[in-house]
Amino acid sequence: MRKIGITGGIGSGKSKVLDFLSVVCGAVICQSDLVAHQVQLPGEKCYQKVVETFGKEILNPDGTIDRKILGRIVFDRPEKLQKLNAIVHPAVNEKIREEMQKAQEEGKELFILEAALLTEPVYREMLDEIWYIHVPQEIRMERLRSSRGYSDEKMYAVFANQPSEETFTAVSDLVIENGGTFEETEKQIDLALGRG
C-alpha cells in the first residue's frame, strides 16, 4: 500500500485534490484535523486529560469540548499550545496508524494522510512520500474571498500563522501546482501515481 501525505496552505485546493484521489483513484483518505477532533470526543483517548488541563469552562452544555473556546485559550500562548499538542498528538498518530493498518488489511492500494504540516519526523517514518499542493498567494486570496468571504486582513493573519512556502517545499518530495485548471492538476497526480 502506498502511503502519501498531502499538505499545503489554506486556499490551496487540498479538498478538491482529496476528492479526486478518493473518487477517481480509490484512495482511503485520513484527515489529521478530523482525527484530532475524534480523539477529543467524550469517552475517547484525550477527552479527560484535555478537560483536566484546561478546565470545565471549555465544555459545551452537552459535555463535548468547545473547540472555539479551546482555540482561544491556546492561540498566541505557545506554552498552552504545547500542553495541548503533548496530549493530542500521540493519540492522533496512534489513530492514524490504526487507520493505515485497517486500510492495509482491506487490501487498499493508496492511503492519503492530509495535514496542515507534515514536518514531524514521525510522518517521515509513517509515509512513503509527501506532496505539497502549491498555489500562488494571490490565487489563494481570490479563492478565499469568493469561497469563504474572507477579508484581506483575515487572510494575512491566517497566512502569517502558516508555514512559509520554503518550509512546505523542504519537507515535500513532490510539489503539485494547483493554480491553473484542475485538469492540469489531475495530470500531475496521474503522473505521480503512475496512472498517466
Side-chain angles (χ1 to χ4, degrees):
M1 184 174 76
R2 194 165 165 187
K3 301 181 284 288
I4 300 169
I6 297 266
T7 191
I10 187 170
S12 59
K14 292 192 299 288
S15 301
K16 207 164 177 187
V17 169
L18 294 177
D19 283 347
F20 176 76
L21 285 162
S22 167
V23 176
V24 180
C25 309
V28 173
I29 307 290
C30 179
Q31 292 177 277
S32 63
D33 262 5
L34 296 181
V35 175
H37 185 55
Q38 281 172 340
V39 297
Q40 293 178 72
L41 290 172
E44 290 291 331
K45 293 173 188 170
C46 302
Y47 178 80
Q48 207 51 49
K49 191 91 176 102
V50 172
V51 176
E52 281 166 18
T53 307
F54 296 96
K56 288 203 163 80
E57 62 271 18
I58 64 166
L59 296 179
N60 288 310
D62 65 357
T64 57
I65 292 170
D66 186 319
R67 293 180 62 164
K68 280 196 179 125
I69 294 174
L70 185 57
R72 279 199 295 272
I73 292 172
V74 300
F75 186 73
D76 275 348
R77 293 193 188 107
E79 73 292 345
K80 296 216 176 206
L81 182 60
Q82 222 168 357
K83 268 186 189 170
L84 180 62
N85 288 344
I87 299 167
V88 176
H89 282 186
V92 167
N93 293 337
E94 193 184 323
K95 185 92 169 144
I96 291 168
R97 287 181 203 280
E98 286 169 14
E99 296 288 323
M100 279 181 178
Q101 186 64 37
K102 189 175 152 222
Q104 189 124 31
E105 284 165 9
E106 288 172 0
K108 303 291 185 188
E109 289 177 15
L110 194 54
F111 184 95
I112 304 291
L113 171 66
E114 184 270 324
L117 191 57
L118 294 163
T119 51
E120 306 282 319
V122 67
Y123 294 122
R124 264 284 153 225
E125 168 207 323
M126 243 190 244
L127 301 162
D128 299 318
E129 59 203 279
I130 294 172
W131 295 2
Y132 167 39
I133 311 301
H134 174 260
V135 173
Q137 186 166 305
E138 54 280 9
I139 296 176
R140 287 165 62 199
M141 288 178 78
E142 240 168 72
R143 288 179 180 173
L144 290 168
R145 253 185 231 110
S146 62
S147 68
R148 303 191 195 185
Y150 279 15
S151 66
D152 285 10
E153 193 182 26
K154 179 159 186 174
M155 284 187 270
Y156 286 125
V158 172
F159 291 158
N161 274 316
Q162 292 204 320
S164 65
E165 280 190 18
E166 292 71 29
T167 305
F168 278 123
T169 309
V171 298
S172 302
D173 303 293
L174 178 69
V175 176
I176 300 274
E177 291 296 341
N178 193 25
T181 66
F182 199 69
E183 286 66 36
E184 290 165 333
T185 303
E186 286 175 11
K187 279 181 193 154
Q188 294 171 71
I189 294 169
D190 283 338
L191 197 62
L193 293 176
R195 289 165 43 95

